[in-house]
């Protein structure tokens, strides 16, 4: 990634920092009860390490202000009091090592009281931290508690609802129970190794316990590192929810349901769809010191390797690693701007080599086009070490003799995003309103970007004129300052020194040249077109008249 992209990323981060002002602090309660703990220990610890690598290295706005970790084994242990996540990787990894050291064998006691105590202790700890801390990055005074368990998630959630029914949960924003499903059912290993069962009275009280002011949810994930890691990455999403992010405006609908005119202008209002936005990936610019991660394709300079001193610029090498079906590639995993790849016409190559390369490239494009294939390619690391990072791209065929190179997401940069297909039909009145609104739009069978105008030319022209006018105005004010200094009488000592120096010099008198050659008409003053600002035209005329006066005075 180029230096320009790294430097301009600060403005992007400042623009998006306002969207992360209400991020809650997090409490993670790990149910390390044997014998289930022996099945999920390695998976959970590896997922936590991967997540801590990402969360502690992220630049930009604070997505995870504070984190505290509790573990329930033979007793309740606070492995990590509330700490800041960003830049605190060493302490986070020590917490993971303490999790690995917990015993994986033994008998399970009743866990309901320990779960309740863990939640209440975390809330009390957060309250004390906020009272004695003066961190400006923490704008949210609430906390979310996540319980990781491999036991029955429904049973754990109902037990927590029952035990916390009469507790003070004002600072608890949400309680989430994540059930990590195992490959085999361990409930039959020991009849005593289970959470206490709930009686029929407890089931009857379930609806009443749901009246708590705290949101309580249950999530089930697979017992794999990737699934647990994605569940933790949900913390990196924007958690504000104070207002909607986007208003999508459609033309006014002609249906009776939505054709009520606005009293202000007696015209129907446009159909407004209020939406929320969600990030699909973590931008590579958020990870400093990883120049090869997610190499941009905004320009050739971004893609080419840096040219070091006394070294020739070597071509970028892309290794084809896999063939992909075009209908199996989701557009949400592609990002950045595409680059067009064509067969080379470098004059340093032999003509036979150029022709042979052209034929092979033509065959590749034809094969990809006829079979509807994409190619997954990987760039080689410029560091040359085994710890260097790679970038992946998609090569897409076109109708012409060219390919499109597009960056593609990787596991580390991807944020979880649930995109489930809708199985229900929309209501008839809403469907009629949207269809009537869309019918009023112009339809083009082929999209032509040349018909789109962003007003960029006019914006750049006006900015250029204003910049030049401000520079010239600054020059005039500086010149007037010099003239004022020249009109002041010099000090007495300096006048005597100038007189002595003038006596020792030889005077030379030169006849001044005429400012206008004979038989030549002076050049008329500059007149801008009527489309230009009138003030700028008068400014350039005054500037030329002042130049002529200066020449005549000389």
């Amino acid at each position: 990634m180029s230096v320009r992209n790294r430097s301009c990323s600060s403005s992007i981060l400042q623009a998006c920092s306002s969207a992360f002002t209400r991020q809650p602090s997090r409490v993670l309660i790990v149910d390390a009860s044997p014998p289930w703990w022996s099945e999920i220990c390695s998976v959970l610890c590896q997922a936590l390490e991967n997540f801590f690598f990402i969360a502690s290295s992220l630049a930009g706005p604070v997505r995870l202000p504070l984190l505290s970790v509790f573990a329930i084994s033979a007793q309740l242990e606070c492995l990590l009091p509330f700490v800041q996540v960003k830049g605190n990787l060493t302490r986070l990894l020590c917490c993971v090592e303490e999790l690995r050291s917990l015993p994986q064998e033994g008998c399970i006691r009743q866990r309901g009281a320990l779960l309740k105590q863990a939640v209440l202790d975390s809330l009390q700890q957060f309250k004390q931290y906020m009272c004695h801390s003066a961190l400006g990055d923490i704008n949210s005074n609430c906390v979310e508690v996540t319980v990781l368990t491999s036991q029955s998630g429904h049973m754990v959630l109902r037990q927590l609802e029952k035990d916390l029914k009469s507790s003070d949960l004002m600072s608890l924003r949400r309680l989430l129970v994540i059930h990590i499903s195992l490959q085999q059912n361990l409930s039959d290993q020991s009849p005593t190794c289970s959470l206490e069962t709930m009686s029929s009275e407890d089931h009857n009280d379930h609806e009443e316990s749901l009246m708590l002011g705290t949101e309580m949810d249950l999530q089930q994930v697979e017992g794999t590192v990737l699934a647990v890691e994605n569940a933790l990455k949900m913390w990196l999403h924007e958690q504000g929810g104070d207002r909607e992010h986007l208003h999508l405006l459609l033309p006014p609908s002609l249906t009776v349901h939505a054709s009520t005119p606005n009293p202000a202008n007696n015209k129907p209002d446009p159909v407004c769809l209020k939406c929320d936005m969600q990030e699909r990936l973590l931008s590579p610019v958020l990870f400093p010191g990883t120049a090869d991660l997610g190499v941009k394709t905004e320009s050739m300079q971004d893609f080419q390797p840096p040219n070091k001193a006394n070294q020739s610029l070597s071509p970028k090498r892309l290794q084809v690693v896999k063939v992909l079906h075009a209908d199996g590639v989701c557009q949400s995993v592609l990002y950045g701007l595409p680059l067009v790849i064509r067969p080379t016409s470098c004059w340093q190559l032999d003509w036979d080599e150029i022709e042979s390369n052209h034929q092979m490239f033509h065959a590749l494009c034809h094969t990809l086009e006829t079979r509807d294939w994409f190619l997954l390619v990987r760039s080689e690391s410029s560091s040359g070490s085994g710890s260097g990072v790679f970038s992946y791209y998609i090569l897409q065929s076109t109708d012409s003799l060219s390919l499109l190179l597009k960056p593609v997401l990787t596991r580390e940069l991807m944020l979880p995003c649930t995109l489930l297909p809708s199985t229900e039909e929309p209501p008839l009145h809403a469907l009629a309103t949207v269809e009537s609104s869309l019918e009023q739009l112009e339809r083009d069978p082929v999209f032509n970007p040349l018909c789109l105008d962003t007003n960029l030319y006019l914006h750049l022209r006006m900015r250029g004129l204003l910049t030049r006018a401000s520079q010239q105005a600054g020059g005039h004010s500086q010149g007037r300052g010099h003239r004022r200094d020249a009109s002041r009488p010099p000090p007495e000592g300096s006048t005597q020194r100038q007189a002595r120096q003038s006596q020792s010099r030889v005077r030379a008198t030169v006849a001044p040249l005429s400012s206008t050659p004979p038989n030549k008409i002076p050049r008329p003053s500059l007149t801008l077109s009527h489309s230009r600002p009138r003030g700028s035209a008068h400014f350039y005329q005054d500037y030329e008249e002042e130049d002529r006066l200066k020449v005549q005075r000389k």
Side-chain angles (χ1 to χ4, degrees), residues 11-22:
S11 60
I12 301 177
L13 300 179
Q14 292 176 1
C16 68
S17 60
S18 60
F20 294 89
T21 57
R22 302 290 297 174

Side-chain angles (χ1 to χ4, degrees), residues 34 36 108-111 151 187 190-197:
W36 291 274
I108 303 175
R109 300 186 302 171
Q110 303 297 322
R111 295 303 179 202
Q151 304 185 42
S187 60
S190 175
T192 60
C193 295
S194 62
L195 200 66
E196 60 265 30
T197 58

Side-chain angles (χ1 to χ4, degrees), residues 465 468 525-541:
L465 292 177
R468 182 176 179 182
S525 60
L526 177 63
T527 303
L528 300 178
S529 62
H530 295 287
S531 63
R532 297 178 183 269
R534 186 174 299 178
S536 301
H538 289 300
F539 173 78
Y540 292 127
Q541 293 176 6

Side-chain angles (χ1 to χ4, degrees), residues 250 253 255 428-440:
L250 301 178
S253 178
T255 60
L428 294 180
H429 66 88
L431 185 61
T433 300
V434 173
E435 288 180 347
S436 175
S437 176
L438 295 178
E439 286 294 334
Q440 303 179 53

Side-chain angles (χ1 to χ4, degrees), residues 79-91:
L79 303 183
L80 182 70
F82 276 104
V83 295
Q84 299 184 66
V85 176
K86 181 180 293 187
N88 211 351
L89 179 60
T90 303
R91 194 167 183 183

Side-chain angles (χ1 to χ4, degrees), residues 269-298:
D269 291 332
V271 178
C272 179
L273 304 181
K274 300 178 181 180
C275 312
D276 285 340
M277 295 185 296
Q278 188 180 31
E279 292 177 305
R280 192 65 179 94
L281 77 155
L282 296 172
S283 176
V285 301
L286 298 178
F287 298 92
T290 55
D292 294 326
L293 179 64
V295 179
K296 287 191 175 183
T297 55
E298 295 182 359

Side-chain angles (χ1 to χ4, degrees), residues 392-497:
Y392 288 87
Y393 304 88
I394 289 291
L395 278 180
Q396 178 181 352
S397 61
T398 61
D399 297 335
S400 60
L401 189 62
S402 61
L403 299 173
L404 290 181
L405 182 72
K406 300 179 180 179
V408 66
L409 280 181
T410 56
R411 170 183 173 178
E412 298 89 349
L413 300 179
M414 185 176 297
L415 289 177
C417 181
T418 304
L419 302 174
L420 298 178
S422 178
T423 58
E424 298 179 357
E425 295 291 335
L428 294 180
H429 66 88
L431 185 61
T433 300
V434 173
E435 288 180 347
S436 175
S437 176
L438 295 178
E439 286 294 334
Q440 303 179 53
L441 295 174
E442 181 182 358
R443 291 187 294 271
D444 287 339
V446 179
F447 172 68
N448 184 8
L450 299 179
C451 299
L452 303 180
D453 186 4
T454 61
N455 206 33
L456 180 61
Y457 293 152
L458 179 61
H459 171 75
L460 295 178
R461 185 185 69 177
M462 297 301 298
R463 189 178 67 173
L465 292 177
L466 293 177
T467 302
R468 182 176 179 182
S470 61
Q471 292 176 353
Q472 299 294 350
H476 284 324
S477 61
Q478 184 178 3
R480 287 192 296 269
H482 287 312
R483 288 194 294 271
R484 285 194 300 266
D485 295 339
S487 61
R488 296 176 183 175
E492 182 178 357
S494 62
T495 304
Q496 297 176 357
R497 288 194 299 269

